[in-house]
Amino acid sequence: MYFFVSNRNFVRKEGIYWPGVISALIGGLIAWKSKFFIPALNGMIVSGIIYYCYHKILGLTISNEKNNSVKT
């Protein structure tokens, strides 16, 4: 999902990027608990959707992150 959220650009973030960690943990929990289809695939899909929605709801993109890093 990072590929789609970041407009196909890689920007290294400093430190731990918590939204990515949290979405991966939720996806892992879903994969562990799911009993239908392919559990690992279910977890990856859910994790990706959470990560994508987080960025779309808050309007975070690479251009916003570059602008914020220049201002600080």
Side-chain angles (χ1 to χ4, degrees):
M1 274 297 132
Y2 179 83
F3 181 75
F4 297 109
V5 170
S6 65
N7 297 324
R8 297 176 205 73
N9 294 320
F10 179 72
V11 174
R12 186 175 297 272
K13 295 176 176 59
E14 294 186 24
I16 297 172
Y17 190 63
W18 289 106
V21 172
I22 292 169
S23 65
L25 289 174
I26 292 171
L29 181 67
I30 296 296
W32 180 46
K33 292 292 186 178
S34 71
K35 303 287 186 215
F36 61 96
F37 194 50
I38 302 170
L41 189 58
N42 294 341
M44 288 191 314
I45 291 170
V46 169
S47 177
I49 290 170
I50 291 170
Y51 187 80
Y52 183 79
C53 290
Y54 171 80
H55 283 84
K56 289 301 171 184
I57 289 170
L58 295 181
L60 299 175
T61 61
I62 288 299
S63 59
N64 289 346
E65 291 175 6
K66 285 181 181 178
N67 291 337
N68 290 339
S69 65
V70 171
K71 291 178 183 177
T72 56

Coordinates of all heavy atoms in Angstrom, one line a residue:
M1 N 0.8 -1.2 0.0 CA 0.0 0.0 0.0 C 0.8 1.3 0.0 O 0.4 2.3 -0.5 CB -0.9 0.0 1.2 CG -2.2 -0.7 1.0 SD -3.2 0.1 -0.2 CE -3.6 -1.3 -1.2
Y2 N 2.0 1.2 0.6 CA 2.9 2.4 0.6 C 3.1 2.9 -0.9 O 3.1 4.1 -1.1 CB 4.3 2.0 1.2 CG 5.2 3.2 1.2 CD1 5.1 4.2 2.2 CD2 6.1 3.4 0.2 CE1 5.9 5.3 2.2 CE2 6.9 4.5 0.2 CZ 6.8 5.4 1.2 OH 7.7 6.5 1.2
F3 N 3.2 2.0 -1.8 CA 3.4 2.4 -3.2 C 2.3 3.2 -3.7 O 2.5 4.2 -4.4 CB 3.5 1.1 -4.1 CG 3.7 1.3 -5.5 CD1 5.0 1.7 -6.0 CD2 2.7 1.2 -6.4 CE1 5.2 1.9 -7.3 CE2 2.9 1.4 -7.8 CZ 4.2 1.8 -8.2
F4 N 1.0 2.9 -3.3 CA -0.1 3.7 -3.8 C -0.3 5.0 -3.0 O -0.7 6.0 -3.5 CB -1.4 2.8 -3.7 CG -1.4 1.6 -4.6 CD1 -1.2 0.4 -4.1 CD2 -1.4 1.8 -6.0 CE1 -1.2 -0.7 -4.9 CE2 -1.4 0.7 -6.8 CZ -1.2 -0.6 -6.2
V5 N 0.0 4.9 -1.7 CA -0.2 6.1 -0.9 C 0.8 7.2 -1.2 O 0.6 8.4 -1.2 CB -0.1 5.7 0.6 CG1 -0.1 6.9 1.5 CG2 -1.3 4.8 1.0
S6 N 2.1 6.7 -1.5 CA 3.2 7.7 -1.7 C 3.3 8.1 -3.2 O 4.4 8.7 -3.5 CB 4.5 7.0 -1.2 OG 4.8 5.9 -2.1
N7 N 2.3 7.9 -4.0 CA 2.4 8.3 -5.4 C 3.6 7.7 -6.1 O 4.2 8.4 -6.9 CB 2.3 9.8 -5.5 CG 1.1 10.4 -5.0 OD1 0.0 9.8 -5.1 ND2 1.2 11.6 -4.4
R8 N 3.9 6.5 -5.8 CA 5.0 5.7 -6.5 C 6.4 6.3 -6.2 O 7.3 6.2 -7.0 CB 4.8 5.6 -8.0 CG 3.5 4.8 -8.3 CD 3.3 4.8 -9.8 NE 1.9 4.6 -10.2 CZ 0.9 5.4 -10.1 NH1 1.1 6.6 -9.5 NH2 -0.3 5.1 -10.5
N9 N 6.6 7.0 -5.1 CA 7.9 7.6 -4.7 C 8.2 7.0 -3.4 O 7.4 6.9 -2.5 CB 7.8 9.1 -4.6 CG 7.6 9.7 -6.0 OD1 8.1 9.3 -7.0 ND2 6.8 10.8 -6.0
F10 N 9.5 6.7 -3.2 CA 10.0 6.3 -1.9 C 10.6 7.4 -1.1 O 11.5 8.0 -1.6 CB 11.0 5.1 -2.0 CG 11.5 4.6 -0.7 CD1 10.7 3.9 0.1 CD2 12.8 4.9 -0.3 CE1 11.2 3.4 1.3 CE2 13.3 4.5 0.9 CZ 12.5 3.7 1.7
V11 N 10.1 7.7 0.0 CA 10.6 8.7 0.9 C 10.9 8.0 2.3 O 10.0 7.5 2.9 CB 9.7 9.9 1.1 CG1 10.2 10.9 2.1 CG2 9.4 10.6 -0.2
R12 N 12.1 8.0 2.7 CA 12.5 7.4 3.9 C 12.0 8.2 5.1 O 12.3 9.4 5.1 CB 14.0 7.1 4.0 CG 14.4 6.4 5.2 CD 15.9 6.1 5.2 NE 16.2 5.2 4.0 CZ 16.2 3.9 4.1 NH1 15.8 3.3 5.2 NH2 16.6 3.2 3.0
K13 N 11.3 7.6 6.0 CA 10.9 8.3 7.2 C 11.9 8.0 8.3 O 12.3 6.9 8.4 CB 9.5 7.9 7.6 CG 8.5 8.3 6.5 CD 7.1 7.7 6.9 CE 6.0 8.2 6.0 NZ 6.2 7.8 4.6
E14 N 12.1 9.0 9.2 CA 13.0 8.8 10.3 C 12.2 8.1 11.5 O 11.0 8.5 11.7 CB 13.6 10.1 10.8 CG 14.5 10.6 9.7 CD 15.2 11.9 10.2 OE1 15.4 12.0 11.5 OE2 15.7 12.7 9.4
G15 N 12.8 7.2 12.2 CA 12.1 6.6 13.3 C 11.1 5.6 12.9 O 11.1 5.1 11.8
I16 N 10.2 5.2 13.8 CA 9.2 4.2 13.6 C 7.9 4.9 13.1 O 7.5 5.9 13.6 CB 8.9 3.5 14.9 CG1 10.1 2.7 15.3 CG2 7.7 2.5 14.7 CD1 9.9 2.1 16.7
Y17 N 7.4 4.4 12.0 CA 6.2 5.0 11.4 C 5.0 4.2 11.9 O 4.7 3.1 11.5 CB 6.2 5.0 9.9 CG 5.1 5.8 9.3 CD1 5.0 7.2 9.5 CD2 4.1 5.2 8.5 CE1 4.0 7.9 8.9 CE2 3.1 5.9 7.9 CZ 3.0 7.3 8.2 OH 2.0 8.0 7.6
W18 N 4.4 4.7 13.0 CA 3.4 4.0 13.8 C 2.1 3.6 13.0 O 1.6 2.5 13.2 CB 3.0 4.7 15.0 CG 4.1 4.7 16.0 CD1 5.0 5.7 16.3 CD2 4.6 3.5 16.7 NE1 5.9 5.2 17.2 CE2 5.7 3.9 17.5 CE3 4.2 2.2 16.8 CZ2 6.4 3.1 18.3 CZ3 4.9 1.3 17.6 CH2 6.0 1.8 18.4
P19 N 1.6 4.4 12.1 CA 0.5 3.9 11.3 C 0.7 2.6 10.5 O -0.1 1.7 10.4 CB 0.1 5.1 10.4 CG 0.7 6.3 11.1 CD 1.9 5.8 11.8
G20 N 1.9 2.5 10.0 CA 2.3 1.3 9.3 C 2.4 0.1 10.2 O 2.0 -1.0 9.9
V21 N 3.0 0.3 11.4 CA 3.1 -0.8 12.4 C 1.8 -1.2 12.9 O 1.5 -2.4 13.0 CB 4.0 -0.3 13.6 CG1 4.0 -1.4 14.7 CG2 5.4 0.0 13.1
I22 N 0.9 -0.3 13.2 CA -0.4 -0.6 13.7 C -1.2 -1.3 12.7 O -1.9 -2.3 13.0 CB -1.1 0.7 14.3 CG1 -0.4 1.2 15.5 CG2 -2.6 0.4 14.6 CD1 -0.8 2.5 16.0
S23 N -1.2 -0.9 11.4 CA -2.0 -1.6 10.4 C -1.5 -3.0 10.2 O -2.2 -3.9 9.9 CB -2.0 -0.8 9.1 OG -0.7 -0.7 8.6
A24 N -0.2 -3.2 10.3 CA 0.4 -4.5 10.1 C 0.0 -5.4 11.3 O -0.3 -6.6 11.1 CB 1.9 -4.4 10.0
L25 N 0.0 -4.9 12.5 CA -0.4 -5.7 13.6 C -1.9 -6.1 13.6 O -2.3 -7.2 13.9 CB -0.2 -4.9 14.9 CG 1.3 -4.8 15.3 CD1 1.4 -3.9 16.6 CD2 1.9 -6.1 15.6
I26 N -2.8 -5.1 13.1 CA -4.2 -5.5 13.0 C -4.4 -6.5 11.9 O -5.1 -7.4 12.0 CB -5.0 -4.2 12.7 CG1 -5.0 -3.3 13.9 CG2 -6.4 -4.5 12.3 CD1 -5.6 -1.9 13.6
G27 N -3.6 -6.4 10.8 CA -3.7 -7.4 9.7 C -3.2 -8.7 10.2 O -3.8 -9.8 9.8
G28 N -2.2 -8.8 11.0 CA -1.7 -10.0 11.6 C -2.8 -10.7 12.5 O -2.9 -11.9 12.5
L29 N -3.4 -9.8 13.3 CA -4.5 -10.4 14.2 C -5.6 -10.9 13.3 O -6.1 -12.0 13.7 CB -5.0 -9.2 15.1 CG -6.1 -9.6 16.1 CD1 -5.5 -10.6 17.1 CD2 -6.7 -8.4 16.7
I30 N -6.0 -10.3 12.3 CA -7.1 -10.8 11.4 C -6.6 -12.1 10.8 O -7.4 -13.0 10.7 CB -7.4 -9.7 10.3 CG1 -8.0 -8.4 10.9 CG2 -8.3 -10.3 9.2 CD1 -9.3 -8.6 11.6
A31 N -5.4 -12.2 10.3 CA -4.9 -13.4 9.7 C -4.9 -14.5 10.7 O -5.2 -15.7 10.4 CB -3.5 -13.2 9.2
W32 N -4.6 -14.2 11.9 CA -4.5 -15.3 13.0 C -5.9 -15.8 13.3 O -6.1 -17.0 13.5 CB -3.8 -14.7 14.2 CG -3.7 -15.6 15.4 CD1 -3.3 -16.9 15.3 CD2 -4.0 -15.3 16.7 NE1 -3.3 -17.4 16.6 CE2 -3.7 -16.4 17.5 CE3 -4.4 -14.1 17.4 CZ2 -3.9 -16.4 18.8 CZ3 -4.6 -14.2 18.7 CH2 -4.3 -15.3 19.5
K33 N -6.9 -14.9 13.3 CA -8.2 -15.2 13.8 C -9.2 -15.7 12.6 O -10.2 -16.3 12.9 CB -8.9 -14.1 14.5 CG -8.3 -13.7 15.8 CD -8.5 -14.8 16.8 CE -8.0 -14.5 18.2 NZ -8.3 -15.5 19.2
S34 N -8.8 -15.4 11.4 CA -9.8 -15.7 10.3 C -9.8 -17.2 10.0 O -8.7 -17.9 10.0 CB -9.5 -14.9 9.1 OG -8.3 -15.3 8.5
K35 N -10.9 -17.7 9.6 CA -11.1 -19.1 9.3 C -11.6 -19.3 7.8 O -11.8 -20.4 7.4 CB -12.2 -19.7 10.2 CG -11.9 -19.6 11.6 CD -10.7 -20.5 12.0 CE -10.6 -20.4 13.6 NZ -9.2 -20.5 14.0
F36 N -11.7 -18.2 7.0 CA -12.1 -18.3 5.7 C -11.1 -17.9 4.7 O -10.1 -17.2 5.0 CB -13.4 -17.5 5.5 CG -13.2 -16.0 5.7 CD1 -13.0 -15.2 4.6 CD2 -13.3 -15.5 7.0 CE1 -12.8 -13.8 4.9 CE2 -13.1 -14.1 7.2 CZ -12.8 -13.3 6.1
F37 N -11.2 -18.4 3.5 CA -10.3 -18.1 2.3 C -8.9 -18.4 2.8 O -8.6 -19.5 3.3 CB -10.5 -16.7 1.9 CG -9.9 -16.4 0.5 CD1 -10.1 -17.2 -0.6 CD2 -9.1 -15.3 0.3 CE1 -9.6 -17.0 -1.8 CE2 -8.5 -15.0 -0.9 CZ -8.7 -15.9 -2.0
I38 N -7.9 -17.5 2.5 CA -6.5 -17.7 2.9 C -6.2 -16.7 3.9 O -6.2 -15.5 3.7 CB -5.6 -17.6 1.6 CG1 -6.0 -18.5 0.5 CG2 -4.1 -17.7 2.0 CD1 -5.3 -18.2 -0.8
P39 N -6.0 -17.2 5.2 CA -5.8 -16.2 6.3 C -4.7 -15.2 6.1 O -4.9 -14.0 6.4 CB -5.5 -17.2 7.5 CG -6.2 -18.4 7.1 CD -6.0 -18.6 5.6
A40 N -3.6 -15.6 5.5 CA -2.5 -14.6 5.3 C -2.9 -13.6 4.3 O -2.5 -12.4 4.5 CB -1.2 -15.4 4.9
L41 N -3.6 -14.0 3.3 CA -4.0 -13.0 2.3 C -5.1 -12.1 2.9 O -5.1 -10.9 2.6 CB -4.6 -13.7 1.1 CG -4.9 -12.9 -0.1 CD1 -3.7 -12.2 -0.6 CD2 -5.5 -13.8 -1.2
N42 N -6.0 -12.6 3.7 CA -7.0 -11.8 4.4 C -6.3 -10.7 5.2 O -6.7 -9.5 5.2 CB -7.8 -12.6 5.3 CG -8.7 -13.6 4.6 OD1 -9.0 -13.4 3.4 ND2 -9.2 -14.6 5.2
G43 N -5.2 -11.1 6.0 CA -4.5 -10.2 6.8 C -3.8 -9.1 6.0 O -3.8 -7.9 6.4
M44 N -3.2 -9.5 4.9 CA -2.5 -8.5 4.1 C -3.5 -7.5 3.4 O -3.3 -6.3 3.4 CB -1.7 -9.1 2.9 CG -0.5 -9.8 3.4 SD 0.6 -10.4 2.2 CE -0.4 -11.2 1.0
I45 N -4.7 -8.0 3.0 CA -5.7 -7.1 2.4 C -6.2 -6.1 3.5 O -6.3 -4.9 3.2 CB -6.8 -7.9 1.8 CG1 -6.3 -8.7 0.6 CG2 -8.0 -7.1 1.5 CD1 -7.2 -9.7 0.0
V46 N -6.6 -6.6 4.6 CA -7.1 -5.8 5.7 C -6.0 -4.7 6.1 O -6.3 -3.6 6.3 CB -7.5 -6.6 6.9 CG1 -7.8 -5.7 8.1 CG2 -8.8 -7.4 6.6
S47 N -4.8 -5.2 6.3 CA -3.7 -4.3 6.6 C -3.6 -3.2 5.6 O -3.4 -2.0 5.9 CB -2.4 -5.1 6.8 OG -1.4 -4.2 7.1
G48 N -3.6 -3.5 4.3 CA -3.4 -2.6 3.3 C -4.6 -1.6 3.2 O -4.4 -0.4 3.0
I49 N -5.8 -2.1 3.4 CA -7.0 -1.2 3.5 C -6.9 -0.2 4.6 O -7.2 1.0 4.4 CB -8.3 -2.0 3.5 CG1 -8.5 -2.7 2.2 CG2 -9.5 -1.1 3.8 CD1 -9.6 -3.7 2.2
I50 N -6.5 -0.6 5.8 CA -6.4 0.2 6.9 C -5.3 1.3 6.7 O -5.5 2.5 6.9 CB -6.0 -0.6 8.2 CG1 -7.2 -1.4 8.6 CG2 -5.6 0.4 9.3 CD1 -6.9 -2.4 9.7
Y51 N -4.2 0.9 6.1 CA -3.1 1.9 5.9 C -3.5 2.9 4.8 O -3.3 4.1 5.0 CB -1.9 1.1 5.4 CG -0.6 1.9 5.2 CD1 0.2 2.3 6.3 CD2 -0.2 2.3 3.9 CE1 1.3 3.0 6.1 CE2 0.9 3.1 3.8 CZ 1.7 3.4 4.9 OH 2.8 4.2 4.7
Y52 N -4.2 2.4 3.8 CA -4.6 3.3 2.7 C -5.7 4.3 3.2 O -5.6 5.5 3.0 CB -5.2 2.5 1.5 CG -5.6 3.3 0.4 CD1 -4.7 3.7 -0.5 CD2 -7.0 3.5 0.1 CE1 -5.1 4.5 -1.6 CE2 -7.4 4.3 -1.0 CZ -6.4 4.7 -1.9 OH -6.8 5.5 -2.9
C53 N -6.7 3.8 4.0 CA -7.7 4.6 4.5 C -7.2 5.7 5.5 O -7.7 6.8 5.5 CB -8.8 3.8 5.1 SG -9.8 2.8 4.0
Y54 N -6.3 5.3 6.3 CA -5.7 6.2 7.2 C -5.1 7.4 6.5 O -5.3 8.6 6.9 CB -4.6 5.5 8.1 CG -3.8 6.5 8.9 CD1 -4.3 6.9 10.1 CD2 -2.5 6.9 8.5 CE1 -3.5 7.8 10.9 CE2 -1.8 7.8 9.3 CZ -2.3 8.2 10.5 OH -1.6 9.1 11.2
H55 N -4.4 7.2 5.4 CA -3.7 8.2 4.7 C -4.7 9.1 3.9 O -4.6 10.3 3.7 CB -2.6 7.7 3.8 CG -1.4 7.4 4.5 ND1 -1.2 6.2 5.2 CD2 -0.3 8.1 4.8 CE1 -0.1 6.2 5.8 NE2 0.5 7.3 5.6
K56 N -5.7 8.4 3.4 CA -6.7 9.2 2.6 C -7.6 10.0 3.5 O -8.0 11.1 3.1 CB -7.6 8.2 1.7 CG -6.8 7.6 0.6 CD -6.3 8.7 -0.3 CE -5.4 8.1 -1.3 NZ -4.7 9.2 -2.2
I57 N -8.0 9.5 4.7 CA -8.8 10.3 5.6 C -8.1 11.5 6.1 O -8.6 12.6 6.1 CB -9.3 9.4 6.8 CG1 -10.3 8.4 6.3 CG2 -9.8 10.2 7.9 CD1 -10.6 7.3 7.3
L58 N -6.8 11.4 6.4 CA -6.0 12.5 6.9 C -5.4 13.3 5.8 O -4.9 14.4 6.0 CB -4.9 12.0 7.8 CG -5.4 11.4 9.1 CD1 -4.2 10.9 10.0 CD2 -6.3 12.3 9.9
G59 N -5.6 12.9 4.6 CA -5.0 13.6 3.4 C -3.5 13.6 3.4 O -2.9 14.6 2.9
L60 N -2.9 12.6 3.8 CA -1.4 12.5 3.8 C -0.9 12.0 2.5 O -1.4 10.9 2.1 CB -0.9 11.6 5.0 CG -1.3 12.1 6.4 CD1 -0.8 11.0 7.4 CD2 -0.7 13.4 6.7
T61 N 0.0 12.7 1.9 CA 0.6 12.2 0.7 C 2.1 12.6 0.7 O 2.5 13.3 1.7 CB 0.0 12.8 -0.6 OG1 0.2 14.2 -0.5 CG2 -1.4 12.5 -0.8
I62 N 2.9 12.2 -0.2 CA 4.3 12.6 -0.3 C 4.5 14.1 -0.4 O 5.3 14.6 0.3 CB 5.0 11.9 -1.4 CG1 5.1 10.4 -1.1 CG2 6.3 12.5 -1.7 CD1 5.9 10.1 0.1
S63 N 3.6 14.7 -1.2 CA 3.8 16.2 -1.3 C 3.5 16.9 0.0 O 4.2 17.8 0.3 CB 2.8 16.7 -2.4 OG 1.5 16.4 -2.1
N64 N 2.6 16.4 0.8 CA 2.3 17.0 2.1 C 3.5 16.8 3.0 O 3.8 17.7 3.8 CB 1.0 16.4 2.7 CG -0.2 16.9 2.0 OD1 -0.2 17.8 1.2 ND2 -1.3 16.2 2.3
E65 N 4.0 15.6 3.0 CA 5.1 15.3 3.9 C 6.4 16.1 3.5 O 7.1 16.5 4.4 CB 5.4 13.8 3.9 CG 4.3 12.9 4.5 CD 4.5 11.5 4.4 OE1 5.6 11.0 3.9 OE2 3.6 10.7 4.8
K66 N 6.6 16.3 2.3 CA 7.8 17.1 1.8 C 7.6 18.5 2.3 O 8.5 19.1 2.7 CB 8.0 17.0 0.3 CG 8.6 15.7 -0.2 CD 8.7 15.7 -1.7 CE 9.3 14.4 -2.1 NZ 9.4 14.4 -3.6
N67 N 6.4 19.0 2.1 CA 6.1 20.4 2.6 C 6.3 20.6 4.1 O 6.8 21.6 4.5 CB 4.7 20.8 2.1 CG 4.6 21.0 0.6 OD1 5.6 21.2 -0.1 ND2 3.4 20.9 0.1
N68 N 5.8 19.6 4.8 CA 6.0 19.7 6.3 C 7.4 19.6 6.7 O 7.8 20.2 7.7 CB 5.2 18.5 7.0 CG 3.7 18.8 6.8 OD1 3.2 19.9 6.6 ND2 2.9 17.7 7.0
S69 N 8.2 18.8 6.0 CA 9.6 18.6 6.4 C 10.4 19.8 6.1 O 11.4 20.2 6.7 CB 10.2 17.4 5.8 OG 10.3 17.5 4.4
V70 N 10.0 20.6 5.0 CA 10.7 21.8 4.6 C 10.5 22.9 5.6 O 11.3 23.7 6.0 CB 10.3 22.2 3.2 CG1 10.9 23.6 2.9 CG2 10.8 21.2 2.2
K71 N 9.2 23.0 6.1 CA 8.8 24.0 7.1 C 9.5 23.9 8.4 O 9.7 24.9 9.1 CB 7.3 24.0 7.2 CG 6.6 24.5 6.0 CD 5.1 24.4 6.2 CE 4.4 24.8 4.9 NZ 2.9 24.7 5.0
T72 N 9.8 22.7 8.8 CA 10.3 22.5 10.2 C 11.8 22.6 10.2 O 12.5 22.6 9.3 CB 9.9 21.1 10.8 OG1 10.4 20.1 9.9 CG2 8.4 21.0 10.9

